[in-house]
């Protein structure tokens, strides 16, 4: 199967502009069969917009709820792929429905959730849309004063705050003069009044407008209240939000210098946790004042006041002074750096916000450098604090500081990392320093400035068995090399430091290695150091260091194999051996380790030159030849290695197929002769490797025949450990024979396998790609693949039908593999009904076998079903990788090429899951009956029926049937079965 067509993203994006959508998700234009995709999406949008219009007109609660959730799903997946005018028309209609008298609370929540999705990234302004203020004010006033108890405050507050930029300015002035001032009462419900001010007083208007409709009306009143009512938690928590937004939207409008002393005094008191008993109140107030400080840097800067506060706060972050105040200070610093980053993006990166602030108030490089110099020492002193927080605040702060001034921050992080790599008896220090390293991986790969650290190399090519000298840290001598050269030194240390006795250490080390290998091409470019006249001195030094990369990759595979071998020797824990809590924690660690190793192995293969890929594949081949794995976790990891070797290095497939087929055949003969009911661990191991052989479309015809012969033997067994791998193998054949697949890894390999005379690998370190730069290659099945899938269907699936029916016409009826899969779907449903009818015969093993065989046909009717169980896990993995290597100040989303292609393929799968496949038919009703019938049974295999029957809702599982179909509805469905 070869790539059948290529999508040039630049051309596709130009075509998308002609559709004049507001802000669409651009990934859809790179899908195959673009005309059909656009037609499907247009139909979906039309159904939603017409449906929501009718639902709102009729005020039908169920219809409003359904279509609001539909528009939420549409926007979340496809962004604003709708005309701008449609968006502008929808918002007032939804507001009108939400503010109807006596509207149900749940429905108001749903409508506001839809409004929030429509507003949050719409980039609409007051010039585009004006929202009536009075009805929304009455609604919110009723909520916060308890008159509308059905609607919850937290479900509408955030959406209302986003709406205030659309209020007519005259209405705002009238609201302040006639409603808000009359409600002002510092002694009673003060925090409610502040909520109203925060929600309905906009700050984004022109300077002249502020005098008439904005701060000219309310600033002096609100500041006097804030200054005088210092013990009222309502004022201290929420009023600073208005002050910071005022400085953000109109810098210089208020001369803050007379107020700075009081503001920083309040900040300092909060950092010491004085005057407040609630940490929540502290962090809320500090968060807004941190944002205010971030926007006060630059012209008329308050940096000197901030430095005074930091000088006082730094000793409080020493481990000996650890206490409740520690996390409060770090939260303040984190919010401060976050808002400085937001300001940086607002003033320099985002096109639509660059001109919102006058250029004289923009943050210049000198002020930014002074800010980083002020924050860095305080943050470094807090790196090794033991904080009970899900977010690692010091590492997050360091990442943002390194984004501003990488040449200053990255050497400081390296000075933390190298000693920690040798501190084997200090696991907390090791983990914390590596977490800081993990946050700045992209910057490390890109930074070319020199770093003065105590590093010495013992000479490359001298005295080592691998032909490349070792790199060690001595702490005695200094060698000046670039920051990014330390990537190789660190990788070398990390690989050697993998220790199976420390699971947390393995996980973080393997994660960091996977991120590095996605960002740097694994190519030995040392020959360019002598012959590359166009290279700079820094590039020549880095090219010499790349001689170590292939060795590091081989050592990484060797270490992973060692981990698998040790895990295989450890007896598996069962539920009886430990209590529930310990069992759950152990399972969580196993899952995390498995995901980390899978990411690392994939990164090693996808971004390595062919010679390195071959060496790693032969390492895996040697491991398979000499080991039998019984433990489940070790077996899963070993299968990951085999899948990667077969998929990325098809040259080893022939040898693997012959070897595994021979082992399974030999084991089956011994198992049959023994007469045992269950197979041994060795045969189970070889059988479970079988599906790994068909994870690639490159399986030769000869290998197919070998595999199918063994599949025939496995399907004659009644042991699930034998017939299940056989059915999974058939499913794999169908998937890779029928599925349209994105082959981005082929483009990556084509680029990386070029001779060194055509490219310089070190210039591609840390390179991120946008969708505009990509050319997407899609592989579509040809006639030979479809014919082979037809053979699979006829031989195995049709055979199940024949074994379950006495209808001669059904036996002789050919099951044709059509494009829409309708005939096959109907036959599949009929087969499931027959199988469920056998459950009363107490032939459990035979029933399960037939059900597994029947279920493999689901992959022919809908190719995305294969990803049903792991789709969201895969998306989580890819998104985590993308976030780890994301540039914080880029204008558009960019990522390494391999991850860009993987993300696109997952987007295509989500698209297939998202769109409905037609109306509810009699076939769907038959499957619904089966779901009800088997909802209380022990057969989990029936889950495939759900995915066939309801392709628009595949993420829902059997729990839907159990939770939403009552006993009464079961009786109704089955009692009327003969009438339908």
């Amino acid at each position: 199967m070869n790539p059948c067509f290529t999508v040039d993203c630049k051309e596709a994006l130009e075509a998308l502009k002609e559709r004049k959508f507001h802000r669409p998700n651009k990934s859809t234009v790179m899908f195959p069969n673009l005309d059909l995709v656009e037609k499907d999406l247009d139909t979906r949008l039309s159904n939603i917009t017409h449906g929501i219009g009718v639902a709102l007109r009729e005020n039908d609660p169920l219809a409003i709820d359904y279509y609001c959730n539909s528009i939420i799903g549409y926007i979340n997946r496809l962004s604003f792929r709708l005309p701008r005018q449609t968006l502008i028309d929808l918002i007032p209609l939804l507001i009108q429905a939400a503010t109807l008298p006596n509207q149900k609370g749940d429905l108001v929540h749903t409508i506001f959730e839809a409004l929030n999705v429509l507003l949050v990234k719409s980039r609409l302004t007051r010039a585009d849309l004006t929202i009536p203020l009075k009805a929304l004010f009455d609604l919110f006033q009723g909520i916060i004063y308890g008159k509308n108890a059905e609607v919850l405050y937290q479900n509408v507050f955030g959406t209302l705050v986003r709406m205030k930029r659309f209020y007519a300015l005259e209405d705002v002035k009238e609201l302040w003069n006639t409603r808000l001032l009359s409600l002002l009462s510092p002694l009673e419900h003060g925090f409610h009044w502040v909520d109203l001010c925060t929600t309905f007083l906009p700050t984004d208007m022109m300077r002249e407008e502020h005098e008439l409709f904005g701060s000219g009306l309310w600033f002096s009143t609100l500041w006097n209240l804030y200054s005088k009512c210092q013990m009222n938690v309502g004022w201290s928590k929420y009023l600073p939000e208005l002050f910071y937004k005022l400085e953000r939207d109109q810098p210089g409008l208020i001369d803050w210098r007379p107020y700075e002393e009081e503001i920083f005094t309040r900040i300092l008191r909060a950092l010491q946790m004085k005057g407040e008993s609630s940490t929540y109140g502290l962090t809320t107030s500090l968060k807004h004042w941190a944002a205010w400080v971030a926007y006060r840097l630059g012209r008329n800067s308050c940096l000197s006041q901030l430095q005074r506060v930091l000088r006082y706060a730094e000793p409080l972050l020493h481990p000996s002074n650890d206490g409740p105040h520690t996390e409060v200070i770090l939260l303040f610093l984190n919010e401060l750096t976050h808002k400085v980053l937001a300001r940086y993006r607002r003033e320099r990166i985002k096109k639509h916000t660059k001109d919102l602030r006058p250029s004289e108030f923009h943050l210049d490089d000198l002020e930014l450098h002074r800010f980083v110099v002020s924050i860095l020492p305080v943050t470094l002193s807090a790196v090794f604090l033991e904080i009970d927080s899900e977010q690692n605040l010091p590492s997050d702060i360091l990442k943002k500081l390194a984004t501003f001034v990488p040449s200053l921050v990255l050497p400081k992080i390296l000075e933390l990392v190298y000693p920690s790599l040798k501190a084997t008896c200090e696991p907390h220090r090791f983990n914390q320093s590596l977490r800081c390293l993990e946050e700045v991986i992209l910057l490390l790969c890109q930074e070319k400035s020199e770093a003065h650290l105590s590093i010495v190399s013992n000479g490359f090519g001298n005295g080592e068995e691998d032909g490349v000298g070792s790199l060690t840290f001595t702490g005695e001598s200094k060698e000046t090399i670039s920051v990014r050269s330390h990537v190789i030194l660190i990788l070398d240390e990390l690989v050697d430091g993998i220790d199976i006795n420390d699971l947390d250490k393995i996980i973080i080390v393997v994660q960091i290695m996977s991120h590095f290998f996605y960002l740097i091409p694994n190519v030995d470019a040392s020959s360019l150091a002598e012959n590359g006249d166009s290279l700079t001195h820094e590039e020549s030094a880095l090219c010499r260091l790349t001689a170590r990369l292939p060795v590091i990759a081989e050592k990484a595979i060797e270490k992973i194999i060692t981990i698998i071998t040790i895990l295989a020797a450890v007896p598996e824990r069962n539920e009886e051996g430990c209590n529930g809590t310990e069992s759950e924690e152990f399972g969580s660690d196993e899952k995390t380790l498995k995901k980390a190793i899978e990411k690392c192995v994939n990164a090693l293969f996808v971004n390595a030159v062919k010679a390195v890929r071959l060496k790693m594949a032969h390492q895996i081949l040697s491991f398979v030849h000499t080991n039998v794995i019984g433990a489940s976790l070790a077996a899963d990891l070993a299968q990951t290695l085999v899948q990667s070797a077969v998929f990325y290095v098809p040259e080893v497939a022939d040898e693997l197929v012959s070897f595994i087929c021979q082992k399974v055949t030999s084991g089956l003969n011994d198992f049959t002769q023994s007469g045992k009911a269950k197979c041994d661990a060795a045969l189970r191991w070889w059988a479970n490797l079988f599906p790994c052989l068909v994870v690639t479309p490159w399986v030769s015809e000869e290998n197919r025949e070998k595999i199918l012969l063994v599949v025939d033997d496995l399907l004659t067994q009644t042991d699930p450990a034998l017939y299940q791998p056989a059915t999974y193998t058939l499913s794999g054949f169908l998937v890779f024979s029928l599925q349209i697949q994105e082959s981005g890894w082929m483009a990556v390999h084509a680029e990386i396998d070029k001779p060194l005379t055509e490219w310089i690998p070190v210039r591609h370190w840390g390179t991120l790609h946008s969708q505009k730069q990509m050319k997407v290659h899609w592989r579509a099945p040809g006639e030979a693949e479809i014919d082979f899938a037809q053979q699979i269907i006829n031989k195995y699936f049709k055979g199940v039908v024949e074994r379950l029916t006495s209808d001669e016409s059904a036996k002789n009826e050919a099951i044709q593999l059509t494009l829409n899969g309708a005939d096959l779907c109907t036959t599949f449903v009929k087969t499931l009904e027959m199988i469920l009818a056998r459950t009363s015969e107490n032939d459990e093993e035979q029933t399960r076998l037939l059900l597994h065989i029947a279920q493999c046909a689901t992959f022919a009717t809908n190719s995305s079903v294969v990803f049903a169980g792991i789709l969201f896990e895969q998306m989580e993995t890819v998104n985590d990788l993308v976030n780890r290597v994301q540039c914080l100040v880029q204008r558009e989303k960019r990522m390494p090429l391999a991850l860009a292609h993987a993300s696109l393929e997952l987007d295509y799968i989500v698209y297939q899951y998202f769109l409905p496949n037609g109306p509810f038919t009699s076939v769907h009703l038959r499957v619904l009956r089966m779901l009800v019938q088997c909802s209380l049974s022990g057969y989990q295999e029936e889950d495939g029926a759900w995915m066939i029957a309801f392709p628009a809702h595949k993420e829902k599982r059997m729990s839907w049937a159990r939770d939403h179909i009552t006993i009464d509805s079961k009786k109704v469905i089955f009692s009327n079965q003969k009438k339908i």
Side-chain angles (χ1 to χ4, degrees):
M1 188 188 295
N2 295 319
C4 295
F5 51 91
T6 300
V7 178
D8 189 328
C9 301
K10 187 175 182 179
E11 296 177 0
L13 290 173
E14 290 296 329
L16 181 65
K17 288 181 180 179
E18 298 178 2
R19 299 294 306 273
K20 295 183 179 179
F21 292 129
H22 183 45
R23 293 183 62 222
N25 184 342
K26 299 178 178 61
S27 63
T28 57
V29 302
M30 293 174 273
F31 291 169
N33 304 321
L34 184 58
D35 293 341
L36 295 177
V37 171
E38 289 295 307
K39 183 178 178 181
D40 287 341
L41 295 179
D42 289 343
T43 302
R44 177 65 172 165
L45 177 61
S46 177
N47 291 339
I48 292 174
T49 52
H50 284 84
I52 201 169
V54 173
L56 293 174
R57 184 187 65 198
E58 301 296 329
N59 195 29
D60 184 338
L62 292 178
I64 293 175
D65 181 79
Y66 173 79
Y67 283 109
C68 281
N69 284 300
S70 297
I71 194 66
I72 291 170
Y74 184 90
I75 297 296
N76 286 338
R77 291 174 174 88
L78 303 170
S79 191
F80 293 95
R81 188 193 173 278
L82 72 172
R84 184 185 184 89
Q85 190 58 45
T86 301
L87 176 63
I88 294 173
D89 293 340
L90 271 177
I91 293 173
L93 287 175
L94 290 170
I95 293 174
Q96 183 180 359
T99 54
L100 287 175
N102 301 320
Q103 189 67 279
K104 292 183 178 180
D106 291 343
L107 194 58
V108 174
H109 297 165
T110 303
I111 294 174
F112 267 81
E113 187 178 355
L115 283 168
N116 187 66
V117 171
L118 292 173
L119 292 171
V120 67
K121 293 183 179 180
S122 65
R123 295 184 183 176
L124 296 177
T125 65
R126 192 177 290 110
D128 303 312
L129 173 67
T130 301
I131 292 178
L133 175 58
K134 183 178 182 302
L136 289 171
F137 183 84
D138 291 339
L139 172 67
F140 192 59
Q141 185 181 7
I143 294 170
I144 63 176
Y145 286 108
K147 297 178 182 177
N148 192 346
E150 288 188 5
V151 184
L152 298 179
Y153 166 90
Q154 60 268 26
N155 290 336
V156 300
F157 176 71
T159 306
L160 286 171
V161 170
R162 290 189 173 92
M163 287 183 190
K164 67 180 180 180
R165 68 179 188 267
F166 301 109
Y167 299 144
L169 297 182
E170 293 80 2
D171 293 345
V172 175
K173 181 177 181 179
E174 181 182 356
L175 177 73
W176 172 260
N177 290 327
T178 61
R179 303 288 297 273
L180 286 175
L181 286 178
S182 63
L183 294 172
L184 176 58
S185 175
L187 300 180
E188 185 177 0
H189 300 302
F191 61 95
H192 292 327
W193 187 79
V194 174
D195 278 344
L196 291 172
C197 291
T198 306
T199 306
F200 292 99
L201 296 179
T203 57
D204 56 335
M205 59 185 77
M206 303 298 292
R207 185 179 293 263
E208 298 78 12
E209 293 172 333
H210 261 289
E211 296 298 326
L212 297 175
F213 309 107
S215 60
L217 296 174
W218 47 260
F219 177 76
S220 59
T221 301
L222 294 186
W223 177 260
N224 286 333
L225 286 172
Y226 178 76
S227 179
K228 291 181 171 58
C229 302
Q230 295 194 24
M231 299 306 294
N232 191 319
V233 70
W235 314 124
S236 64
K237 278 199 304 185
Y238 297 115
L239 280 179
E241 182 179 1
L242 265 180
F243 300 150
Y244 119 71
K245 289 183 177 180
L246 183 61
E247 178 61 21
R248 180 196 66 187
D249 295 331
Q250 273 302 327
L253 179 65
I254 303 295
D255 183 6
W256 291 99
R257 285 173 293 184
Y259 309 106
E260 282 183 357
E261 195 69 32
E262 181 174 351
I263 291 171
F264 279 97
T265 299
R266 298 281 285 267
I267 291 174
L268 192 56
R269 288 178 59 198
L271 293 179
Q272 301 174 51
M273 296 191 70
K274 292 182 178 179
E276 297 277 5
S277 60
S278 168
T279 303
Y280 172 74
L282 280 174
T283 55
T284 304
S285 175
L286 277 176
K287 180 180 73 172
H288 299 314
W289 280 128
W292 177 86
V293 172
Y295 282 96
R296 285 279 294 123
L297 298 175
R299 185 174 177 180
N300 298 326
S301 175
C302 65
L303 183 60
S304 59
Q305 295 274 20
L306 175 63
Q307 289 171 338
R308 290 171 56 193
V309 172
L310 294 176
R311 281 195 297 271
Y312 183 86
E314 184 174 0
L316 298 177
L317 290 177
H318 191 275
S320 62
N321 291 326
D322 190 16
H325 62 275
T326 303
E327 188 172 354
V328 174
I329 296 174
L330 288 176
L331 287 170
F332 173 76
L333 295 177
N334 187 56
E335 185 66 22
L336 176 60
T337 52
H338 176 72
K339 289 302 182 182
V340 172
L341 177 65
R343 180 180 175 185
Y344 185 96
R345 289 172 53 82
R346 184 183 178 93
E347 296 176 353
R348 304 192 188 191
I349 308 299
K350 296 181 179 180
K351 292 181 179 179
H352 67 287
T353 59
K354 279 185 176 181
D355 300 327
L356 292 182
R357 289 170 62 93
S359 58
E360 62 267 22
F361 289 98
H362 284 191
L363 191 62
D364 58 29
D365 292 337
L366 179 60
E367 184 75 359
L368 193 61
H369 188 276
R370 292 174 59 200
F371 169 76
V372 173
V373 170
S374 302
I375 299 291
L376 184 58
V378 183
T379 308
L380 290 174
S381 64
V383 166
F384 300 120
L385 287 172
E386 296 188 13
I387 305 172
D388 185 17
S389 175
E390 294 182 1
Q391 185 182 14
N392 196 325
L393 294 172
S395 63
D396 196 33
I397 296 169
L398 287 174
K399 179 180 182 178
K400 286 172 276 198
L401 296 179
T403 302
F404 301 138
V405 191
S407 60
L408 176 64
V409 180
L410 294 180
K412 297 296 183 182
I413 294 177
L414 292 175
E415 289 175 359
L416 295 176
V417 170
Y418 279 113
S420 299
L421 292 175
K422 299 299 181 181
T424 55
C425 59
E426 299 181 64
H428 176 71
R429 178 178 179 180
F430 178 87
N431 289 338
Q432 289 298 101
S433 61
L434 286 195
R435 291 186 188 283
C436 296
L437 176 69
E438 188 178 21
E439 295 291 344
V440 296
I441 282 175
L442 174 65
L443 298 170
L444 274 175
C445 294
Q446 294 175 336
E447 184 58 33
K448 300 178 183 179
S449 62
E450 291 185 348
H452 298 270
L453 298 174
S454 300
I455 302 294
V456 62
S457 63
N458 292 337
F460 298 99
N462 297 325
E464 288 284 334
E465 292 181 2
D466 54 30
V468 183
S470 62
L471 308 174
T472 58
F473 172 75
T474 65
E476 298 173 357
S477 60
K478 289 187 177 181
E479 182 181 5
T480 302
I481 58 176
S482 65
V483 171
R484 63 177 181 161
S485 298
H486 288 278
V487 169
I488 298 176
L489 308 180
I490 291 172
L491 279 173
D492 202 33
E493 295 278 359
L494 289 177
V495 173
D496 291 333
I498 293 178
D499 181 9
I500 188 60
N501 296 314
D502 191 338
L503 194 58
D504 292 336
K505 181 178 179 181
I506 290 179
I507 291 172
I508 191 170
V509 166
V510 173
Q511 285 177 342
I512 290 175
M513 288 171 57
S514 64
H515 300 154
F516 274 130
F517 282 119
Y518 271 117
L519 287 168
I520 59 176
N522 195 333
V523 182
D524 180 0
S526 56
S527 59
L528 291 177
E530 306 300 331
N531 304 323
D533 297 333
S534 61
L535 300 180
T536 65
H537 175 73
E538 187 272 340
E539 289 173 341
S540 296
L542 185 56
C543 283
R544 282 191 289 272
L545 285 170
T546 58
R548 191 70 182 168
L549 285 176
V551 179
I552 292 173
E554 294 173 40
K555 288 170 62 178
I557 293 294
E558 181 183 342
K559 288 286 187 178
I560 291 172
I561 290 174
T562 303
I563 291 173
I564 295 172
T565 306
I566 295 175
L567 289 174
V570 177
E572 292 190 75
R573 298 188 184 185
N574 52 38
E575 294 183 359
E576 298 176 358
C578 57
N579 60 46
T581 303
E582 291 177 349
S583 177
E584 291 175 4
E585 292 176 354
F586 186 76
S588 175
D589 290 341
E590 285 181 330
K591 184 177 179 181
T592 305
L593 176 63
K594 182 175 181 292
K595 288 176 63 175
I597 290 180
E598 286 175 349
K599 289 190 291 186
C600 186
V601 172
N602 188 71
L604 284 167
F605 274 98
V606 80
N607 212 17
V609 72
K610 185 174 183 179
V612 178
R613 298 198 301 269
L614 281 170
K615 286 185 178 180
M616 293 189 295
H618 282 100
Q619 284 179 278
I620 295 170
L621 197 61
S622 176
F623 165 70
V624 173
H625 275 282
T626 56
N627 287 272
V628 172
I629 307 298
S632 57
L633 175 61
D636 286 346
L637 295 176
Q639 289 167 23
T640 297
L641 290 179
V642 175
Q643 288 175 357
S644 299
V646 172
F647 188 81
Y648 291 112
V649 191
E651 290 85 353
V652 303
D654 291 342
E655 185 177 349
L656 268 173
V657 168
S658 300
F659 177 75
I660 294 176
C661 286
Q662 184 268 329
K663 285 289 186 179
V664 174
T665 303
S666 174
L668 278 176
N669 292 334
D670 296 339
F671 173 64
T672 304
Q673 293 175 5
S674 68
K676 295 179 180 179
K678 299 293 183 181
C679 66
D680 59 12
L683 180 54
R684 183 167 61 248
W685 158 247
W686 299 120
N688 285 331
L689 286 182
F690 235 68
C692 303
L693 303 177
V694 297
V695 295
T696 172
W698 318 119
V699 182
S700 66
E701 187 173 348
E702 180 182 355
N703 286 339
R704 283 177 181 173
E705 296 300 325
K706 292 180 182 179
I707 293 171
L708 289 178
L709 286 174
V710 181
V711 166
D712 292 339
D713 294 336
L714 290 173
L715 290 178
T716 62
Q717 307 298 319
T718 57
D719 187 353
L722 297 178
Y723 67 70
Q724 287 182 5
T727 58
Y728 297 151
T729 302
L730 294 176
S731 301
F733 271 135
L734 288 177
V735 168
F736 286 96
S737 297
L738 298 174
Q739 189 180 32
I740 297 177
Q741 294 179 322
E742 201 277 332
S743 55
W745 55 273
M746 294 176 60
V748 177
H749 285 176
E751 182 71 21
I752 205 171
D753 289 339
K754 292 189 303 186
L756 292 178
T757 55
E758 298 182 15
W759 74 307
I760 301 175
V762 296
R763 291 181 179 173
H764 294 261
W765 278 39
T767 301
L768 303 182
H769 298 263
S770 68
Q771 293 176 334
K772 296 178 182 178
Q773 300 170 317
M774 294 171 56
K775 286 191 177 182
V776 186
H777 304 281
W778 295 96
R779 292 181 290 106
E783 300 229 350
E785 285 78 18
I786 294 178
D787 290 342
F788 174 69
Q790 183 71 67
Q791 295 174 19
I792 296 289
I793 294 296
N794 289 339
K795 180 177 179 180
Y796 296 98
F797 181 55
K798 189 170 185 291
V800 177
V801 178
E802 292 176 351
R803 293 171 64 179
L804 292 173
T805 180
S806 59
D807 188 353
E808 293 296 328
S809 62
K811 290 184 179 181
N812 299 324
E813 180 183 0
I815 303 174
Q816 293 299 320
L817 186 60
T818 58
L819 289 178
N820 59 17
D823 297 334
L824 188 60
C825 182
T826 303
T827 311
F828 169 70
V829 171
K830 182 178 180 181
T831 306
L832 282 181
E833 289 173 335
M834 296 175 184
I835 292 174
L836 289 176
R838 293 175 60 96
T839 58
S840 60
E841 301 175 9
N842 297 322
D843 191 359
E844 181 178 343
E845 292 297 337
Q846 186 68 9
T847 300
R848 288 182 179 274
L849 169 60
L850 296 177
L851 189 55
H852 266 282
I853 298 174
Q855 208 175 356
C856 76
T858 62
F859 304 112
T861 58
N862 190 333
S863 59
S864 64
V865 171
V866 69
F867 297 101
I870 59 174
L871 172 62
F872 294 107
E873 183 178 340
Q874 287 181 332
M875 292 179 63
E876 180 184 353
T877 299
V878 172
N879 290 334
D880 177 65
L881 284 167
V882 170
N883 292 334
R884 290 295 182 187
V885 297
Q886 190 81 287
C887 177
L888 296 180
V889 292
Q890 60 193 7
R891 179 174 298 166
E892 56 189 343
K893 193 173 184 179
R894 295 172 177 263
M895 60 191 80
L897 190 58
L899 291 179
H901 287 289
S903 179
L904 177 61
E905 186 169 14
L906 287 174
D907 286 342
Y908 180 58
I909 296 172
V910 172
Y911 155 74
Q912 291 177 304
Y913 274 62
F914 172 52
L915 285 178
N917 289 349
F920 189 89
T921 65
S922 60
V923 173
H924 293 81
L925 182 58
R926 291 166 65 184
V927 175
L928 183 60
R929 287 180 183 141
M930 286 190 293
L931 287 171
V932 175
Q933 183 177 349
C934 68
S935 62
L936 302 178
S937 74
Y939 298 119
Q940 298 179 354
E941 290 85 354
E942 287 88 344
D943 191 38
W946 175 264
M947 293 181 283
I948 276 295
F950 305 100
H953 304 282
K954 297 183 185 70
E955 67 273 11
K956 296 182 180 179
R957 290 291 185 269
M958 291 292 296
S959 59
W960 187 92
R962 296 189 183 95
D963 297 340
H964 293 79
I965 301 178
T966 64
I967 298 298
D968 293 337
S969 59
K970 292 181 186 178
K971 295 177 181 178
V972 172
I973 291 175
F974 285 107
S975 63
N976 295 321
Q977 185 170 356
K978 296 181 180 179
K979 299 179 182 180
I980 298 178

